[in-house]
Amino acid sequence: MNEIVTVIDIETTGLDPQNDHITEIAAIRAEVGPGGYIREIGRFQTYVALPYRKSIPEEITKLTGIKDDDLYGGAAIHNAYLALCNFIRGSRVVAHNAPFDFSFLASCTREGFVPRSFACTRAMTRVLDPKESASLASTCLRYGTPLNGHHRAMNDVEATLKLYAILRDRAEATEFDYSCVVVDSEERPLTFIPIGARVIKAAKTKEAV
């Protein structure tokens, strides 16, 4: 059965949603169906301006390639958040490591970030391939999905969309209900649980970032 999904990814100044900030948001809205079918509907991408006197740490610039100058003229976080919410409306939200992305988006509003439905491709591969790394790079390599320019939001979104189409078929073939599932594991304990999520405990593996 075909469905409408919006795959999202964010880049940030660090890992703590209470003290770090979003620098880039990207999303692709698409129709996904059996056999890896993908029909792209639209794209959303914006840089996000940092609060006054905040800057991107040097190690984050080395990882993402995003510099302070890139954010000049970027959207205010409130406006970027509202635009993203409008873009995803009526679709299932997909992200690789959804708890991370959702934790930062939830910090943008008092109501929290509550998509109608979501799927976490990291959780999907963690359940479907329990002995393998669930990192985006490793999973894409395992399934032959191109990942160019890792740690830039749109590049990661493009790869995650293709990966979701593959994992969706595998999950449905094994009757794994992946809707709103997140994974908690010893090597990657959950620090944020999205509203409405179902938590699955996973055994320790050779987990990578």
Side-chain angles (χ1 to χ4, degrees):
M1 181 177 179
N2 290 10
E3 63 173 336
I4 302 299
V5 304
T6 304
V7 182
I8 69 171
D9 185 72
I10 64 171
E11 298 302 329
T12 66
T13 60
L15 302 177
D16 182 359
Q18 302 305 315
N19 297 298
D20 293 308
H21 305 278
I22 295 173
T23 57
E24 184 183 28
I25 302 174
I28 295 177
R29 188 179 181 95
E31 179 184 9
V32 177
Y37 172 79
I38 298 173
R39 179 181 67 89
E40 185 174 321
I41 298 169
R43 294 188 174 210
F44 171 89
Q45 190 276 336
T46 184
Y47 284 121
V48 180
L50 293 178
Y52 182 60
R53 290 188 174 177
K54 295 292 182 180
S55 61
I56 302 174
E58 182 179 351
E59 63 270 20
I60 298 298
T61 293
K62 289 180 179 179
L63 178 68
T64 66
I66 300 173
K67 307 180 292 294
D68 288 335
D69 289 348
D70 295 326
L71 306 186
Y72 179 74
I77 183 58
H78 180 69
N79 294 337
Y81 174 79
L82 291 179
L84 178 66
C85 288
N86 285 331
F87 189 75
I88 69 175
R89 184 168 286 123
S91 67
R92 184 200 297 270
V93 178
V94 178
H96 196 82
N97 196 4
F100 175 81
D101 295 89
F102 290 8
S103 67
F104 274 86
L105 293 171
S107 69
C108 297
T109 173
R110 294 179 181 177
E111 292 76 24
F113 181 68
V114 191
R116 183 187 68 173
S117 175
F118 75 85
C120 176
T121 50
R122 180 182 172 274
M124 292 170 74
T125 191
R126 196 68 176 74
V127 172
L128 294 168
D129 304 316
K131 295 183 179 181
E132 302 292 340
S133 167
S135 75
L136 181 59
S138 295
T139 306
C140 284
L141 182 63
R142 198 160 60 246
Y143 284 99
T145 301
L147 175 58
N148 302 310
H150 189 20
H151 295 301
R152 287 305 301 267
M154 188 58 77
N155 296 338
D156 288 357
V157 164
E158 290 175 343
T160 301
L161 174 58
K162 295 173 183 175
L163 189 60
Y164 175 71
I166 296 170
L167 294 175
R168 178 182 183 269
D169 281 354
R170 282 204 61 205
E172 293 182 357
T174 59
E175 299 185 344
F176 164 44
D177 181 6
Y178 54 87
S179 180
C180 301
V181 167
V182 295
V183 166
D184 186 31
S185 59
E186 181 181 338
E187 68 274 15
R188 184 73 72 85
L190 282 174
T191 57
F192 176 87
I193 299 176
I195 296 172
R198 295 185 293 126
V199 180
I200 292 179
K201 291 285 186 179
K204 187 174 182 178
T205 66
K206 54 181 181 181
E207 178 72 5
V209 175

